[in-house]
Amino acid sequence: VVFLSLVATVHLKTVKQSDAKAELEAYIEEKKSEINPRYRLHYHVAPPVGWMNDPNGFSYYKGEYHLFYQFYPYESKWGPMHWGHVVSPNLVDWRPLPTALLPEEEMCFSGSAVVKDDTLVLMYTAHEITDVEPFFNETQYLAFSDDGVVFEKYEGNPVLPSAPNGNPDFRDPKVWKHGDHWYVVLGSKTDDERGRVLLYRSLDLISWEFLSVIGESTGEMGYMWECPDFFKLKGKHILLMSPQGMTPQGDRYKNTHQTGYIIGSFNYETFEFVPEVSFQEIDFGHDFYATQTTEEDGNRYLIAWFGMWDVPYPEDVDGWAGAMTIFRELDLVGNRILMKPVEAMTSLREETVWDGKLAENDVIQLDKTGELLVTGDLSQNIELEIKGSNGGGQVSLRWDPQVRKVVVDREGDVRQVEWLPLGSEVWRIFLDASSLELFCGEGEVVFSSRVYPDGGWQVVNLSPQALDVVAYKLRRSVPEP
Ligand code: FRU
């Protein structure tokens, strides 16, 4: 009887979940028509309606890339987290699938995905509200899918009920396989509020053994490390994470929270990560956080939330907020990770709008999208003004040969960093209806910033020198609103 009633309860729960999913899809369909398209991105993943933050479950399954994301469909601001879901054959063209995870007693916080015996397994943080201080608790859950579309939460959840020190901040599992074991890194903190990353392993993804702390803030690295990722790149190990609470130092750490990496070496026998190069930001723009990577065909691909906590989202009045960056491929040269747009991004080029010299004060008119390849003489100043054709969204991109810095000045809010070209001296600039991404050279320096132009884009050369410019209009690769 007990067994039968257990089966019945599970069945009832499943029915309720599928009703809730159908209702949600109907709601999204209906709400979509109310979206104001003015800032809607043409080739960046964004929520169909409502709010998006972190990328989750970035993986390759049954011939397609899967990307999930922190999603709150009912308002253009953060709320009880769902997992939105999109798929792509090439990391450029994306089509939506039904919302993969809906909150029940737990909010579905960030996590990752792996393929085990032909099943796509999601591991994510269940964030629960409690009535005792600190009024929340975090544990790790699993969910399974055999078709990559419909996901069932594991009945034995949680699989990881608490951090070794019992700290309730215990989230964002990133799983990978090495040898016979599955490994997971999780973001957490010490009792005296220093961010740290915990490492566990398992043979079945269900019972986990705590192994070590692979990274820990000494204090100046912040009070919490979110969204850790740990992977091998060119013979080194990279600990990539998003620390909260770092104090700005000159040009560095100017966003609300940071995302960056430590290069080191790791030993699968002692479970010790030995840092060799200290923390560096991976992107220097205004809106970049909570990265996740996956490896496929020997390449390491990265995606990030094209956003930031506690900043305005001008699109929120239009019925949506937040987006993903374009997908990037990683490389490691010397002490730095290089980040390049994935190769397939060139398939977006639809029409050449400009090809030749752009003299001082010359203007290129673009519609909502564009890619520009800009080359100038780096012994002289460069200044490109990029702004809305009807006003708004003004950014100045500059090169200062005296200090050898690239500057992204978004209406007076400056991000800048030294650039030492390793080869190519080209600036590759991606413009979408409300965003700008600048890749310098081989990807030594990258800036990702949301910018909100009225109308299309205008690019003006304010440099004393003529620049060589190729500009393309880019096609749409995500669904129309
Ligand atoms: C990072 C983060 C994660 C958490 C999620 C909640 O942006 O704070 O640590 O899982 O967002 O939406």
Side-chain angles (χ1 to χ4, degrees), residues 189-442:
K189 53 168 69 155
T190 60
D191 294 339
D192 60 350
E193 304 276 314
R194 288 176 289 115
R196 50 154 50 167
V197 174
L198 308 170
L199 176 69
Y200 292 78
R201 77 172 172 188
S202 167
L203 283 167
D204 56 7
L205 294 170
I206 287 172
S207 65
W208 291 91
E209 171 197 0
F210 172 68
L211 298 174
S212 62
V213 174
I214 58 163
E216 192 170 277
S217 166
T218 47
E220 74 282 2
M221 285 279 301
Y223 56 80
M224 174 67 197
W225 289 3
E226 297 191 308
C227 303
D229 198 341
F230 194 57
F231 53 89
K232 208 169 173 184
L233 190 64
K234 287 275 176 76
K236 292 288 169 197
H237 266 87
I238 308 293
L239 175 59
L240 174 67
M241 76 289 200
S242 296
Q244 300 188 304
M246 291 182 74
T247 336
Q249 289 172 20
D251 290 342
R252 299 281 63 76
Y253 319 142
K254 291 181 82 171
N255 294 333
T256 320
H257 305 305
Q258 325 307 326
T259 294
Y261 58 97
I262 296 171
I263 305 173
S265 57
F266 179 70
N267 182 324
Y268 273 100
E269 259 133 51
T270 57
F271 311 118
E272 201 191 346
F273 175 63
V274 182
E276 289 165 12
V277 186
S278 55
F279 183 83
Q280 315 175 55
E281 286 161 287
I282 194 163
D283 186 293
F284 299 93
H286 300 75
D287 302 286
F288 186 93
Y289 194 64
T291 45
Q292 191 164 97
T293 71
T294 195
E295 191 186 315
E296 187 55 34
D297 298 333
N299 295 317
R300 180 61 59 174
Y301 298 111
L302 176 141
I303 182 65
W305 175 27
F306 206 160
M308 186 49 64
W309 291 111
D310 310 320
V311 301
Y313 288 84
E315 71 268 32
D316 59 6
V317 293
D318 298 344
W320 66 288
M324 292 294 148
T325 61
I326 59 172
F327 288 74
R328 294 131 192 235
E329 195 184 310
L330 302 186
D331 195 1
L332 183 72
V333 175
N335 285 347
R336 219 184 135 72
I337 287 185
L338 309 187
M339 227 170 19
K340 269 190 191 164
V342 293
E343 292 258 326
M345 283 301 290
T346 53
S347 74
L348 292 182
R349 292 173 184 170
E350 196 171 57
E351 190 187 306
T352 309
V353 179
W354 190 278
D355 186 356
K357 290 277 176 211
L358 189 71
E360 187 176 3
N361 293 322
D362 275 358
V363 181
I364 300 174
Q365 300 279 357
L366 290 159
D367 195 14
K368 295 278 187 184
T369 66
E371 178 192 345
L372 296 116
L373 304 173
V374 180
T375 323
D377 173 359
L378 294 184
S379 68
Q380 297 175 41
N381 283 82
I382 294 176
E383 180 168 3
L384 271 182
E385 187 186 40
I386 302 184
K387 59 186 176 187
S389 46
N390 302 327
Q394 209 226 18
V395 192
S396 152
L397 306 184
R398 300 191 287 269
W399 165 252
D400 180 343
Q402 250 75 58
V403 287
R404 307 197 63 82
K405 279 183 184 176
V406 182
V407 182
V408 175
D409 179 344
R410 187 177 71 179
E411 283 158 8
D413 189 5
V414 171
R415 298 289 181 276
Q416 56 182 342
V417 63
E418 266 180 65
W419 176 38
L420 192 78
L422 288 172
S424 159
E425 297 186 349
V426 177
W427 281 3
R428 196 165 168 197
I429 305 163
F430 286 89
L431 299 172
D432 202 343
S434 54
S435 73
L436 179 150
E437 283 153 288
L438 165 62
F439 296 82
C440 299
E442 313 284 335

Side-chain angles (χ1 to χ4, degrees), residues 53-54 70 78 81 109-110 171-172 226-227 289-290 309:
N53 55 285
D54 313 0
Q70 292 284 281
W78 191 87
M81 284 287 109
F109 271 25
S110 285
R171 60 180 173 271
D172 310 337
E226 297 191 308
C227 303
Y289 194 64
W309 291 111

Side-chain angles (χ1 to χ4, degrees), residues 99-256:
T99 306
L101 297 176
L102 275 67
E104 291 175 275
E105 72 284 349
E106 92 292 13
M107 296 183 201
C108 307
F109 271 25
S110 285
S112 54
V114 286
V115 180
K116 178 176 184 275
D117 305 330
D118 240 25
T119 299
L120 187 59
V121 183
L122 311 181
M123 186 168 183
Y124 67 98
T125 298
H127 179 96
E128 284 181 70
I129 304 299
T130 63
D131 42 20
V132 287
E133 279 255 31
F135 304 110
F136 73 92
N137 193 43
E138 293 182 333
T139 62
Q140 315 313 319
Y141 275 25
L142 298 179
F144 306 110
S145 172
D146 290 326
D147 62 0
V149 181
V150 180
F151 291 82
E152 301 268 348
K153 295 176 187 174
Y154 174 52
E155 288 154 31
N157 282 331
V159 292
L160 254 177
S162 65
N165 63 352
N167 199 291
D169 282 289
F170 178 49
R171 60 180 173 271
D172 310 337
K174 177 68 175 25
V175 192
W176 74 98
K177 187 150 196 205
H178 180 86
D180 291 339
H181 281 93
W182 299 96
Y183 290 81
V184 69
V185 280
L186 275 145
S188 193
K189 53 168 69 155
T190 60
D191 294 339
D192 60 350
E193 304 276 314
R194 288 176 289 115
R196 50 154 50 167
V197 174
L198 308 170
L199 176 69
Y200 292 78
R201 77 172 172 188
S202 167
L203 283 167
D204 56 7
L205 294 170
I206 287 172
S207 65
W208 291 91
E209 171 197 0
F210 172 68
L211 298 174
S212 62
V213 174
I214 58 163
E216 192 170 277
S217 166
T218 47
E220 74 282 2
M221 285 279 301
Y223 56 80
M224 174 67 197
W225 289 3
E226 297 191 308
C227 303
D229 198 341
F230 194 57
F231 53 89
K232 208 169 173 184
L233 190 64
K234 287 275 176 76
K236 292 288 169 197
H237 266 87
I238 308 293
L239 175 59
L240 174 67
M241 76 289 200
S242 296
Q244 300 188 304
M246 291 182 74
T247 336
Q249 289 172 20
D251 290 342
R252 299 281 63 76
Y253 319 142
K254 291 181 82 171
N255 294 333
T256 320

Side-chain angles (χ1 to χ4, degrees), residues 432-463:
D432 202 343
S434 54
S435 73
L436 179 150
E437 283 153 288
L438 165 62
F439 296 82
C440 299
E442 313 284 335
E444 301 90 358
V445 165
V446 181
F447 297 83
S448 306
S449 300
R450 295 293 305 278
V451 191
Y452 297 83
D454 296 331
W457 288 105
Q458 260 187 9
V459 179
V460 193
N461 181 10
L462 295 182
S463 327

